[in-house]
């Protein structure tokens, strides 16, 4: 059974930084694409960043709204995915979800993500 557990959310002021982590069990990170999504109140869940399977080159993609501010990385030995978030803005406020590749899931940059963590709240105040 696949389990994804996020941590690292919290409340910060605009311009601040947070680092999210996602530890997985029952799933090999390097063999699959991994990503971060977020969902703000009243909005649909949207992709934020992803890193492709190792055999596809580990290509990294970001949504335009976070490009240049967020960095996704993966430690395959620890089965852990990270999201470093810098220069945070109030519009980044959302629940952030770790996601793992699964057929039939939500599309993001050519990959389907269908395994989800429980989410971690990120709140950015102005």
């Amino acid at each position: 059974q696949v389990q994804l557990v996020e941590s690292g959310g919290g409340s910060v002021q605009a311009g601040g930084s947070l680092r999210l982590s996602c530890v997985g069990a029952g799933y090999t990170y390097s063999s699959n694409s991994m990503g971060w999504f977020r969902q703000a109140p009243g909005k649909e869940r949207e992709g934020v960043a992803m890193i492709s399977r190792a055999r596809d080159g580990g290509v990294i993609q970001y949504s335009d709204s976070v490009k240049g501010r967020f960095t996704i990385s993966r430690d395959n030995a620890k089965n852990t995915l990270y999201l470093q978030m810098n220069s945070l803005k109030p519009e980044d406020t959302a629940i952030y979800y770790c996601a793992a590749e699964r057929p039939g899931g939500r599309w993001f940059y050519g990959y389907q993500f269908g395994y989800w963590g429980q989410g971690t709240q990120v709140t950015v105040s102005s």
Side-chain angles (χ1 to χ4, degrees):
Q1 184 176 352
V2 177
Q3 289 186 320
L4 303 172
V5 179
E6 303 99 334
S7 61
S11 297
V12 295
Q13 290 192 327
S17 298
L18 285 173
R19 188 193 196 202
L20 306 183
S21 299
C22 173
V23 179
Y27 198 79
T28 304
Y29 276 31
S30 62
S31 300
N32 297 277
S33 300
M34 302 291 299
W36 289 96
F37 288 68
R38 68 185 181 186
Q39 189 167 15
K43 294 188 177 181
E44 288 197 7
R45 192 171 299 189
E46 63 172 356
V48 174
M50 62 83 64
I51 181 167
S52 72
R53 316 163 185 143
R55 64 181 181 274
D56 289 347
V59 177
I60 290 175
Q61 301 281 5
Y62 298 98
S63 66
D64 289 342
S65 59
V66 306
K67 202 172 294 183
R69 300 188 297 121
F70 290 11
T71 302
I72 188 172
S73 61
R74 176 173 62 194
D75 186 332
N76 294 328
K78 296 181 179 180
N79 240 28
T80 301
L81 184 73
Y82 302 99
L83 185 68
Q84 177 66 44
M85 305 186 294
N86 299 328
S87 302
L88 283 161
K89 304 175 181 180
E91 51 263 44
D92 294 319
T93 295
I95 298 174
Y96 283 71
Y97 297 90
C98 174
E101 188 176 4
R102 185 182 189 185
R106 184 180 296 264
W107 286 99
F108 186 50
Y109 277 111
Y111 296 92
Q112 292 177 297
F113 294 88
Y115 292 110
W116 303 94
Q118 82 286 353
T120 185
Q121 177 71 48
V122 171
T123 303
V124 185
S125 58
S126 57

